Amino acid sequence: MSLPERTYVADALRTETVGGVLLLAAAVAALIWANVPAIRDSYTTVSDFHLGPAALGLDLSVAHWAADGLLAVFFSVAGVELKRELVAGDLKDPRAAALPVVAALCGMAAPALVYTLTNVTGGGSLAGWAVPTATDIAFALAVLAVIGTSLPSALRAFLLTLAVVDDLFAILIIAVFFTADLDFAALGGAAAGLVVFWLLLRAGVRGWYVYVPLAVVVWALMYNSGVHATIAGVAMGLMLRCTTREGEDRSPGERVEHLVRPLSAGLAVPLFALFSAGVTVGGGALADVFTRPETLGVVLGLVVGKAVGIFGGTWLTARFTRASLSEDLAWADVFAVATLAGIGFTVSLLIGELAFEGDAALTDEVKAAVLTGSLIAAVLATALLKARNARYRRLWDAEERDADESGVPDVYEQDDPAYHLRMAAVLERKAAEHRRIAAEMAGSTSDGTTAARHEDPEVAGGAGEEGDRPA
């Protein structure tokens, strides 16, 4: 990895780590705000407050703006980063890119199967089969950014691709199974807007005053079509060019990502978490999580189904096809990320509301199950990722060690005779220093012993006079 690339990745990870901390803090604040009786009503009031032009179909609640509007900003950044990984990063090799795609599909099929089997054997409702299929990309990447400071970039690329594909298919599930009507005129308008966006990019047109209004129009049309509006963000992010041309220090995609990422990580995603994570959970709903087949199926789907589906699908694909795991990753890394993908949260909560619409009690219990399953997955993944992170930290320290102070890490000089001569000189200096310190300590001990004998002659004399008997 070149120096500009390393600087770019380091800046991105720093921004994302700060954003991850803010997101997790906002989620905790939302849960407290929505469940403390004294302030619970104010959370509902703020979340349900409507604003926006009704004539354009955009008279939305604050929570709705956060989930569909602000999250589109995050998805646009995710789209740019995914494009960069596909054309110039760890996923440039199609064999490496195929694995997270297959993992995402298997990671959706397995939880649905686990939920179905649990409810068939327990006599529950099959309506919630899609609830545990979704991975919350924002929360998963936030946890990885906070915990995995020393993990390989290939692992983050794997999770990013997996989560984006997962979310796209989850949105497709909502559109096919839980959307009553689609506005094909609005959908066609959004598609036309995306074509215009692509043509302007190819023509080399520059200026935020061109693209920002066009992006807002495309987003609004996509929202009014009945399709989840975040698809517009992903699509526009994937259209940006992420390779440099002659005379360019950075590609357009990198420039846009550099400008938008702080807004996404520091404002959009935390506000999204604040107004999406405030689920009111009663004690009765939590108590029934492990007793009802519907809620148990959700928990098992997120915790067991996701891990087994993603890890198993990845291993089988690498074993029986030409697809291969990145050389920088181990299978233990894949299992840790597969566990992390069990954080369903926002999209799972949305699907739960749609699947059990009309049954308020069961909806609350399913929400509690999503929270429980996501929390269990997050705790397990944190433990696994911390262990992997510690291992990579040790490897990193070993690779960066420069004991001979030559300016080149020792690991790259093992076959150089001059390196071993320099190390011999370093060790000889250390040995001479230790001999000097040992000599000074021996002299100090000798002086101390002599002084003790001089100060207590009676004890010494008595011992000498009495031989071996006590003085």
Side-chain angles (χ1 to χ4, degrees):
M1 184 182 293
S2 65
L3 181 59
E5 288 176 328
R6 293 184 68 172
T7 303
Y8 168 83
V9 172
D11 290 342
L13 288 178
R14 278 195 295 269
T15 303
E16 197 161 89
T17 301
V18 173
V21 173
L22 292 175
L23 184 148
L24 296 175
V28 173
L31 287 171
I32 295 173
W33 190 4
N35 286 278
V36 174
I39 57 176
R40 180 188 303 164
D41 292 341
S42 64
Y43 181 83
T44 304
T45 301
V46 174
S47 297
D48 292 342
F49 181 77
H50 279 63
L51 67 160
L56 299 178
L58 297 176
D59 182 20
L60 310 178
S61 67
V62 171
H64 220 148
W65 277 111
D68 287 298
L70 293 178
L71 203 58
V73 177
F74 168 80
F75 269 95
S76 66
V77 175
V80 173
E81 189 169 0
L82 179 58
K83 175 70 172 290
R84 183 177 178 277
E85 293 292 344
L86 289 171
V87 300
D90 294 306
L91 301 176
K92 185 177 182 179
D93 185 352
R95 293 178 300 175
L99 282 182
V101 174
V102 174
L105 297 177
C106 294
M108 299 185 77
L113 180 61
V114 169
Y115 178 92
T116 301
L117 291 176
T118 303
N119 282 269
V120 167
T121 56
S125 171
L126 298 181
W129 64 271
V131 175
T133 60
T135 293
D136 193 300
I137 179 174
F139 275 88
L141 289 176
V143 172
L144 185 65
V146 173
I147 301 298
T149 54
S150 298
L151 293 173
S153 61
L155 188 62
R156 190 185 179 283
F158 184 94
L159 176 61
L160 176 68
T161 309
L162 183 155
V164 168
V165 173
D166 183 293
D167 270 11
L168 291 177
F169 274 92
I171 293 169
L172 183 62
I173 287 174
I174 294 173
V176 173
F177 295 97
F178 300 104
T179 299
D181 298 306
L182 284 176
D183 188 333
F184 289 99
L187 186 59
L194 289 173
V195 171
V196 173
F197 189 89
W198 183 81
L199 290 174
L200 290 174
L201 289 172
R202 291 300 172 271
V205 176
R206 303 182 67 174
W208 65 267
Y209 47 84
V210 174
Y211 292 102
V212 172
L214 179 58
V216 172
V217 171
V218 171
W219 173 87
L221 288 169
M222 189 69 75
Y223 173 81
N224 280 288
S225 71
V227 177
H228 207 283
T230 52
I231 285 184
V234 175
M236 288 184 281
L238 289 171
M239 287 181 183
L240 290 172
R241 177 168 56 84
C242 292
T243 54
T244 56
R245 294 176 178 173
E246 186 177 354
E248 290 183 338
D249 294 329
R250 291 186 297 179
S251 67
E254 290 179 351
R255 288 198 300 270
V256 171
E257 184 182 358
H258 178 74
L259 291 172
V260 180
R261 183 184 290 277
L263 173 65
S264 170
L267 180 65
V269 175
L271 284 178
F272 152 74
L274 183 64
F275 292 106
S276 296
V279 179
T280 303
V281 181
L286 288 173
D288 292 338
V289 164
F290 295 100
T291 57
R292 292 197 59 159
E294 294 88 352
T295 52
L296 180 60
V298 170
V299 173
L300 292 178
L302 290 172
V303 178
V304 179
K306 277 290 184 182
V308 172
I310 292 173
F311 182 81
T314 305
W315 186 86
L316 290 172
T317 304
R319 175 69 176 80
F320 295 107
T321 71
R322 298 182 64 182
S324 59
L325 190 66
S326 171
E327 294 179 355
D328 295 333
L329 299 181
W331 286 109
D333 302 327
V334 177
F335 184 76
V337 164
T339 305
L340 181 62
I343 301 177
F345 213 75
T346 310
V347 180
S348 292
L349 291 173
L350 174 59
I351 296 176
E353 290 180 352
L354 297 173
F356 297 104
E357 190 174 7
D359 190 340
L362 184 54
T363 299
D364 288 343
E365 292 173 355
V366 168
K367 287 181 178 180
V370 171
L371 290 175
T372 303
S374 297
L375 180 60
I376 293 173
V379 171
L380 292 175
T382 297
L384 295 173
L385 288 171
K386 284 181 70 69
R388 300 303 299 169
N389 192 68
R391 179 180 182 277
Y392 282 110
R393 168 58 64 183
R394 291 193 296 270
L395 292 175
W396 174 265
D397 291 342
E399 289 180 357
E400 293 296 308
R401 187 178 297 115
D402 183 20
D404 64 336
E405 300 178 352
S406 65
V408 178
D410 297 343
V411 68
Y412 301 112
E413 297 185 298
Q414 295 302 311
D415 297 329
D416 184 2
Y419 160 74
H420 294 285
L421 291 176
R422 290 194 297 271
M423 284 302 301
V426 170
L427 295 175
E428 179 56 35
R429 287 198 301 271
K430 290 183 178 180
E433 180 66 15
H434 285 303
R435 284 194 292 268
R436 183 188 65 79
I437 293 173
E440 290 179 355
M441 292 178 63
S444 175
T445 303
S446 176
D447 293 344
T449 303
T450 302
R453 288 178 179 175
H454 179 73
E455 292 172 1
D456 197 5
E458 294 182 1
V459 174
E465 292 173 358
E466 299 294 331
D468 292 333
R469 291 178 297 170

